[in-house]
Amino acid sequence: MTSTPPKAERRPHTSTHHSITLTDDYAWLKDANWQQVLREPSLLAPDIRAYLEAENVYSNALLASTEPLQKELVAEMRGRIKEDDSTVPSPDGLFAYFTKYREGGQHRMIGRQPRDGGDARFLLDGDALAEGKKFFKLGDARHSPDHHLEAWSADDRGSEYFTIRIRDWDNGADRADVIEETDGGVVWSADSRAFYYVKLDDNHRPLQVYRHQLGTPQSDDVLVYEEQDAGWFTHIHESASGRFCVIAGGDHETSEQRLIDLARPDEPPRLIAAREDGVQYSVADRGSELFILTNADGAIDFKIVTAPLAAPERANWRDLIPYRPGTYVLDLELYSGHMVRLERANALPSIVIRDLATGDEHAIAFGEAAYSLDTHGGYEFDTTTLRFSYSSMTTPSEVFDYDMASHSRTLRKRQEIPSGHDPANYVTTRIVAKAKDGAEVPVSILHRKDFARDGRAPLLLYGYGSYGHAMPASFSANRLSLVDRGFVYAIAHIRGGADKGWGWYLDGKREKKINTFDDFAACGRALIAADYTSAKNIVGHGGSAGGMLMGAVANRAGELFAGIVAEVPFVDVLNTMLDDTLPLTPPEWPEWGNPITSDKDFRTILAYSPYENVAAKDYPAILAMGGLTDPRVTYWEPAKWVARLRATMTSGGPVLLRTNMGAGHGGASGRFDRLDEVALAYAFALWAVKRDRPSAD
């Protein structure tokens, strides 16, 4: 092992766009045959593999002193996991379906039992399916309407190409049907003789919906719908009543949906409303009526409208729940007699239930300063039971069945922490950070009750801030390993996410993207001002688009941080958005802009893209983590970033790259193997705040 960092060879590659010439010394780290590498990682070019493996050796050597701590952290985190955990059975007809882990098991099992209780039977065993594989992820599993068959999918490379198979509940054997290169989702026809799926193309894009007839080869499958816009994603799911397959297409700004009658598979998909730029909608069905969640007519935080199933076009939409600025309607669930909506106002969620017969409404809300709520749609439509979960940063997850008619609540499951957890030993609170432009950014905070607020504590600040994804103040048992070692754990609810509504998201995208980065830095400064921590005592943490955030703040506000953990970081934004062959590039243009066609978008991205803005300055210690078969944030993004950082920075660091050579975007697939990566990140955070900073090599 060596403590000398690898030095990536400079092989300058130049390109000119909008009269600006870019020079990329490390473009060679992108394998020219990356599509084949996704399918077969052994095809990676030898010089690239050698470099990535040398980086792994270096990071291991530099963090060798933390290996005992990493093992200790893994043991702690594993001790908080109920190893034989299972979900609450979800009823459907005569049965109730659930998933379960065995003691010591890495992957879930799929089982069912009689609806009213009784002996369980397991049809799919993830551990057995994963045996002998470096990577295995069990995807969707969906039983047929007649309950005789189970469609299941799996990815065994980490590249998110899922293969669908059909297993028989009667004899436990897989049928001959094998459907390859799909997104993993399945919707059954009403007669249980066929199913729908989405096929991924050579560039890993979900554009085609097929129908597969059981007992026939995939080559005979019928193309039901093909999206012509390479910038759109296409997915399928069952409608609320189970009567239709919904073909849901869209990008980050516009959407369009179609319905396939599952009892009439030969009929063409039926369009709900033609796509209009900037208009998003999703549909739920009830008898002859559709309920539609939409941002149409300037409803930035969304509203709910109804339309007749027979004539669902925009002209026939009528407001049911009008737009209320500041109240973001996240989700809509529909049942035979009730409508449920999940809302968020001022970064706090609530569940609102409407009796469709009377129009009466009531809400389910909680009193903690910061918490998370989620609804869990079941298989049954004609029911008064709503299942939802609640947690906070101090309170483990609780799953409730709620009777929407009687307003009564039944606790079905409380997350067990086998090694013990007393919520009274911890405090959840919230502060507000003032951004540069005066925006008020919420920060959720977790610390031990005996924490002394004197500015001396180390703090991990987590952020994401893209795609309208909110960061819930939910429970994470893993975080306790940091908090119990004196860390404060904070979540920055920055713009680019929808924590304070859809407008909060719009205020942190495209030409306003720098608000995301400046908000995160403002949260760090607010935490310092409030004596939760001090400068150079903060570790920033983010993944994927949150990894881009990490790269940007390292460039823009590195003086605040002792360390940066960037997991699968989207740091090569400009080059990725300039390459329209990559899986996510055309669908991402609405989020970031299209630098190929727009001079303005090119210059906007160039001004903040972490890779292009690495400077000759001091940087905090940085740990970048990637996955070789990641189709979302390709492995070469963190690899190129690390190479440029080392070649450019004048002091600080060190800068480390850890590439999982057998996994993709989500890291290791097993629930315990994933703990190794969490432990590495946390050990690095602990190391970063306690060490004397060496100069950059």
Side-chain angles (χ1 to χ4, degrees), residues 198-474:
V198 175
K199 190 176 188 301
L200 304 180
D201 69 7
D202 289 341
N203 287 336
H204 207 280
R205 293 176 185 150
L207 299 174
Q208 297 176 320
V209 178
Y210 280 89
R211 183 177 70 250
H212 174 76
Q213 195 72 26
L214 294 183
T216 65
Q218 184 175 3
S219 58
D220 289 348
D221 290 353
V222 177
L223 178 63
V224 174
Y225 174 75
E226 183 170 15
E227 175 55 52
Q228 299 302 313
D229 188 339
W232 274 40
F233 283 159
T234 303
H235 298 295
I236 59 173
H237 62 268
E238 284 185 20
S239 68
S241 71
R243 178 180 167 189
F244 300 101
C245 171
V246 181
I247 300 176
D251 55 23
H252 295 294
E253 293 181 341
T254 306
S255 62
E256 183 179 77
Q257 299 200 345
R258 290 170 167 80
L259 301 180
I260 300 173
D261 190 328
L262 292 171
R264 297 179 175 86
D266 292 328
E267 292 185 1
R270 185 170 164 194
L271 178 65
I272 301 301
R275 63 190 70 179
E276 297 178 42
D277 286 347
V279 175
Q280 300 181 57
Y281 71 88
S282 58
V283 300
D285 66 306
R286 176 178 178 259
S288 61
E289 194 172 31
L290 295 178
F291 291 67
I292 302 171
L293 176 64
T294 182
N295 68 344
D297 308 312
I300 293 173
D301 288 322
F302 289 74
K303 63 179 181 177
I304 296 173
V305 303
T306 59
L309 176 62
E313 56 269 16
R314 275 286 306 275
N316 296 325
W317 291 9
R318 299 292 179 264
D319 284 5
L320 177 65
I321 306 297
Y323 168 50
R324 296 153 296 155
T327 301
Y328 173 38
V329 186
L330 291 84
D331 196 17
L332 160 68
E333 284 189 18
L334 196 60
Y335 298 88
S336 59
H338 296 85
M339 182 183 74
V340 179
R341 62 185 190 269
L342 184 62
E343 298 182 344
R344 185 184 299 116
N346 198 29
L348 287 176
S350 64
I351 295 171
V352 182
I353 297 167
R354 183 183 183 92
D355 187 312
L356 293 172
T358 66
D360 293 341
E361 292 190 350
H362 67 280
I364 307 172
F366 294 82
E368 289 193 78
Y371 58 86
S372 174
L373 281 178
D374 284 299
T375 57
H376 302 271
Y379 297 116
E380 298 187 320
F381 180 66
D382 188 13
T383 180
T384 62
T385 300
L386 167 71
R387 183 163 292 168
F388 74 90
S389 60
Y390 167 86
S391 74
S392 75
M393 293 175 78
T394 61
T395 306
S397 177
E398 297 174 330
V399 178
F400 295 91
D401 277 350
Y402 183 81
D403 191 305
M404 295 180 284
S406 68
H407 303 188
S408 60
R409 183 187 308 178
T410 303
L411 178 65
R412 295 299 309 274
K413 179 183 177 182
R414 178 176 285 119
Q415 181 182 353
E416 294 182 43
I417 310 296
S419 60
H421 172 68
D422 185 354
N425 291 333
Y426 302 88
V427 173
T428 294
T429 188
R430 177 171 288 195
I431 65 169
V432 173
K434 253 321 169 34
K436 276 186 176 181
D437 60 0
E440 295 186 338
V441 186
V443 186
S444 297
I445 299 169
L446 171 69
H447 59 75
R448 284 193 61 87
K449 188 177 181 180
D450 56 7
F451 160 72
R453 207 167 107 186
D454 56 11
R456 298 172 62 186
L459 182 143
L460 188 139
L461 182 59
Y462 183 86
Y464 188 76
S466 291
Y467 306 114
H469 295 330
M471 292 294 104
S474 55

Side-chain angles (χ1 to χ4, degrees), residues 429-556:
T429 188
R430 177 171 288 195
I431 65 169
V432 173
K434 253 321 169 34
K436 276 186 176 181
D437 60 0
E440 295 186 338
V441 186
V443 186
S444 297
I445 299 169
L446 171 69
H447 59 75
R448 284 193 61 87
K449 188 177 181 180
D450 56 7
F451 160 72
R453 207 167 107 186
D454 56 11
R456 298 172 62 186
L459 182 143
L460 188 139
L461 182 59
Y462 183 86
Y464 188 76
S466 291
Y467 306 114
H469 295 330
M471 292 294 104
S474 55
F475 183 77
S476 167
N478 291 341
R479 294 173 189 156
L480 301 179
S481 286
L482 277 182
V483 174
D484 286 345
R485 286 174 170 79
F487 260 74
V488 176
Y489 192 99
I491 300 172
H493 301 284
I494 52 184
R495 280 175 285 186
D499 304 68
K500 292 180 69 174
W502 202 249
W504 197 245
Y505 160 55
L506 298 177
D507 225 18
K509 67 180 292 191
R510 296 188 71 152
E511 69 276 3
K512 297 181 179 180
K513 191 63 208 171
I514 60 170
N515 285 339
T516 302
F517 317 137
D518 291 344
D519 284 0
F520 192 79
C523 291
R525 294 187 180 103
L527 289 159
I528 292 168
D531 286 331
Y532 282 99
T533 189
S534 55
K536 291 295 186 186
N537 220 8
I538 302 174
V539 175
H541 187 192
S544 197
M548 177 197 63
L549 167 67
M550 294 300 105
V553 297
N555 289 335
R556 300 166 68 91

